Amino acid sequence: MAVIGWAKSGLIANNLDHRRQNAHHPPHLYIRRPSPTTAEYTVTTRPPPSLTLRLALVSLTTLRLVLFLVALLLLTTHLSLLPRPVTQHPYLHPLLASPPYQALVRLTGPPLPAWAFAAAACAVLYVCFAWQLHTTERLLVLRGLGIQTSTTGEGVWGSWRPATRFIPTEKIRDVLINEAFRGFEVRYYLVVLVEGEEEVVVVFPRLLPRRRIVEAVWRGVRGCLYEQGGEGRGEKG
């Protein structure tokens, strides 16, 4: 194990807070070895699939969809964004004229300023649409080619576009385990030393998995990159 200093200590300290927010879904490691020269390491906070999880996701998605539509309708009503022909549509007019909806309109109307309601409605829309449920980070190792890191956020409407980076083999100086301190807590994380760059590349920077996972990935990466045999089996941790 190597300790290479404090180049990323600020990043790690900030991401420790993100990791604590996901403490109820601790990161899990999944290893896939399609060939002796290729390995994919996936760390995710998404719990293993089960009937209870599926039902919970369906209920949460339904609730957020309803909140999204209600906030959108209230926003367009208060700001008069809907043309009159639209409000008189045979499918939409009964909803807009219903007592529950009219009660919501009166509740969110004056004396609440229009700008305050618009800001609150936009915040609700953002939470309903973009709130991240799980985080998944991957490390793909290709012997002779290099490694690719990616981070993907999974929301209600699917996965966001991942942030990826590819590092060619000739640019990789070493793969090490570093440590960072915050108060009395010591965290271990995987880093890649890239030739020509002062900053190290942190692997799994958002989730910062436990030491056991970090060491397993470190051994596998070095085995796949530098050893002929590598680790020829897949495992789950």
Side-chain angles (χ1 to χ4, degrees), residues 7 47 56 194:
V194 182

Side-chain angles (χ1 to χ4, degrees), residues 8 11-12 15 41-43 137-141 147-151 165 167 174-176 178 188-193 200-209 213-214 217-218 221:
K8 289 287 185 177
L11 170 67
I12 300 303
N15 286 343
Y41 302 89
T42 302
V43 177
E137 296 186 297
R138 292 183 174 88
L139 176 65
L140 177 63
V141 184
I147 62 176
Q148 178 175 285
T149 63
S150 65
T151 299
R165 179 180 178 181
I167 306 174
D174 208 345
V175 181
L176 305 172
N178 199 4
Y188 297 91
Y189 56 99
L190 196 66
V191 298
V192 180
L193 300 183
V200 298
V201 177
V202 179
V203 182
F204 313 131
R206 289 183 61 82
L207 294 180
L208 297 176
I213 294 179
V214 172
V217 175
W218 175 72
V221 170

